[in-house]
Each structure stands twice: as structure tokens, then as C-alpha cells.
Amino acid sequence: METMTPAEISQRITVLRAEHRSLDECIARLAANPDDEMEAKRLKRRKLQLKDSIFKLECMLIPDEPA
């Protein structure tokens, strides 16, 4: 796995959060149309993946505590 600088991690988090918000909007629009249930499920799954990725990146920004 390639090493990222804290600035690169922060930038990646920003991009992922923007995509996460965008998916929120798409899911809300699809909720009005029950014919797109499969698409809504796919978007929700992607949203959860983004949330996990954001969490992992945020953990990388937390410095290790000395023993």
C-alpha cells in the first residue's frame, strides 16, 4: 500500500465526503420512485463503503500514542 501524506489523506477524505453527500441526494430522489429499488440498494451499499473508507483514512490521521 502506498504511503500518503496527511495533506493527501485530508484531501482524499474531502473527496469521499463530497461523494457521500451526493449519494445522499440521489438516494433521496430514488426514494420517491419505488421502481428503482435495486439502484437505491446499490447506492446505499456504495455509501456504506465510502463511510468505511472515510473512517479508515481518519484513523490514519490520528497519531500513534507512545507506549
Side-chain angles (χ1 to χ4, degrees), residues 9-60:
I9 293 171
S10 294
Q11 182 180 13
R12 182 70 180 144
I13 289 171
T14 301
V15 169
L16 293 177
R17 283 184 177 152
E19 185 178 348
H20 191 269
R21 280 190 302 274
S22 174
L23 286 175
D24 268 338
E25 295 167 5
C26 289
I27 291 168
R29 282 192 304 267
L30 287 175
N33 186 359
D35 294 336
D36 290 333
E37 185 178 334
M38 290 299 290
E39 179 69 9
K41 285 182 181 182
R42 186 184 69 78
L43 292 176
K44 287 178 183 179
R45 194 172 316 121
R46 174 66 181 148
K47 188 177 161 191
L48 285 172
Q49 290 171 341
L50 288 172
K51 184 177 178 180
D52 289 343
S53 295
I54 291 167
F55 177 76
K56 289 175 186 175
L57 289 170
E58 287 174 338
C59 287
M60 291 173 66

